[in-house]
Amino acid sequence: MPELPEVEITRLGLLPHLAGQSLQRMIFRTPKLRYDLPSHLPPRLAGLTLSTILRRGKYLLFDFEHEARGGWLIVHLGMSGSLRILPHDTPPQKHDHVDWVFARHLLRFHDPRRFGAVLWHEGEPIAAHPLLAHLGIEPLSAAFDGNWLYKHTRGRTTPIKTLLMDSHIIVGVGNIYAAESLFSAGISPWREAGKISRARCQKLATAIRETLEKALEAGGSTLRNYVQSNGERGFFQLSCQVYGRKGLPCLRCAQPVLCTTQAGRSSFYCAHCQR
DNA sequence: CGTTACCCCTGGAGGC
DNA sequence: TGCCTCCAGGGGTAAC
């Protein structure tokens, strides 16, 4: 479910409630998500204070840096994961896999499909973690623009959509926002990445940035409702131009939106508007 | 090295 | 109502 904007909104939602709080204990109800849980989270994590939460791609990085015995809690939401702040006595429900009991709040990880990841990292800079070390550029960073995209697509024969979703090149762009960005830029998801002109790379880079920022903006409005004792907070739904609209008229030209499969993922696009 | 196939899971939708 | 099949927004890993 979550792409970069949803993960960032999660980070912003958690931060004011957890920063500066000490972790009292952890509760595991599931032996493993993507990775084994207890073996990856040392009990001595309890007692540490959370200083801040960072994000790299779709990974949330909880900074428990504290004198000599600190480290980082790494959380990835996978396809269906979510993190919520809850009152201490909230009974767990189905698929509530992990609790971090802080002094004032409970942080709870919920993930029906269990593709999420929870890991602990210490002893080296967080950027050195094997899952983070080879991640690509942040699409909202100043360094990401048309020139960067042009340079890094040269020589690539893979379809542009596949490249956009490759986290070793660009992080955070998932299936929905890849489709929406390509529609916005008028580029076919099947276009060979290395053959896209500099001008169109510029257009695409802008489209990616604007698509993500628009989603962030939409999510920002839900922040004040972040703390809920029950029910689904639910991720905001960005209204999609092409994603999920197979067979429906293109909102630009009214031709039916197509859906094909690329690298095992569905690709929605308009063959008339996207070349 | 670049690219692709497969796999980890559950739940919801739609067909019969 | 029930059973079956297919599909889902991620991403690491193995294999070519």
Side-chain angles (χ1 to χ4, degrees):
Chain A
M1 188 183 273
E3 298 191 26
L4 187 150
E6 289 83 352
V7 176
E8 179 66 7
I9 292 299
T10 296
R11 184 183 79 84
L12 293 173
L14 297 179
L15 201 45
H17 301 288
L18 296 181
Q21 290 203 40
S22 69
L23 178 66
Q24 299 178 335
R25 62 196 178 98
M26 297 183 288
I27 300 169
F28 306 107
R29 302 188 186 84
T30 308
K32 93 181 255 295
L33 300 173
R34 175 181 290 281
Y35 307 104
D36 290 344
L37 281 178
S39 62
H40 281 94
L41 292 179
R44 59 195 168 71
L45 177 50
L48 298 183
T49 296
L50 178 67
S51 59
T52 193
I53 308 171
L54 306 181
R55 179 189 57 76
R56 179 73 175 97
K58 296 175 190 168
Y59 290 92
L60 286 167
L61 311 172
F62 294 76
D63 183 1
F64 284 94
E65 214 58 53
H66 176 70
E67 296 176 3
R69 65 185 196 110
W72 296 81
L73 175 70
I74 304 172
V75 177
H76 194 291
L77 302 178
M79 290 270 258
S80 57
S82 61
L83 285 167
R84 282 193 293 164
I85 301 284
L86 298 164
H88 274 148
D89 56 356
T90 311
Q93 301 186 337
K94 197 175 182 184
H95 306 306
D96 286 345
H97 305 301
V98 187
D99 284 356
W100 290 271
V101 184
F102 284 87
R104 290 175 54 85
H105 298 290
L106 188 64
L107 176 64
R108 179 165 284 171
F109 184 74
H110 174 90
D111 185 8
R113 288 179 74 179
R114 284 189 271 145
F115 286 172
V118 177
L119 296 162
W120 176 251
H121 177 79
E122 64 180 40
E124 288 178 60
I126 184 62
H129 191 281
L131 293 177
L132 307 179
H134 303 109
L135 290 179
I137 194 170
E138 290 282 343
L140 294 179
S141 68
F144 179 72
D145 59 14
N147 288 333
W148 189 98
L149 191 57
Y150 181 76
K151 182 180 169 192
H152 288 83
T153 47
R154 292 315 91 185
R156 295 306 199 106
T157 58
T158 196
I160 183 62
K161 174 163 177 278
T162 308
L163 183 139
L164 291 185
M165 292 180 65
D166 184 343
S167 63
H168 298 299
I169 301 172
I170 305 169
V171 298
V173 182
N175 207 25
I176 292 181
Y177 297 138
E180 294 297 303
S181 300
L182 286 165
F183 177 79
S184 175
I187 297 171
S188 166
W190 290 103
R191 177 67 53 200
E192 190 174 321
K195 291 188 174 171
I196 299 176
S197 71
R198 183 179 286 275
R200 299 184 88 209
C201 281
Q202 183 59 59
K203 203 168 179 182
L204 180 54
T206 301
I208 292 168
R209 183 182 293 273
E210 288 179 353
T211 300
L212 295 176
E213 282 177 349
K214 194 171 151 193
L216 264 176
E217 206 172 310
S221 64
T222 70
L223 275 178
R224 65 174 172 277
N225 298 322
Y226 201 86
V227 181
Q228 289 188 352
S229 56
N230 54 24
E232 286 302 307
R233 182 179 66 89
F235 284 112
F236 49 94
Q237 277 300 99
L238 181 70
S239 59
C240 294
Q241 299 284 301
V242 278
Y243 182 84
R245 303 193 72 250
K246 179 182 181 181
L248 297 175
C250 168
L251 295 175
R252 197 177 288 159
C253 76
Q255 296 280 315
V257 170
L258 304 182
C259 180
T260 56
T261 299
Q262 287 183 282
R265 318 297 293 274
S266 55
S267 268
F268 298 87
Y269 67 105
C270 173
H272 179 253
C273 295
Q274 295 175 252
R275 299 300 177 128

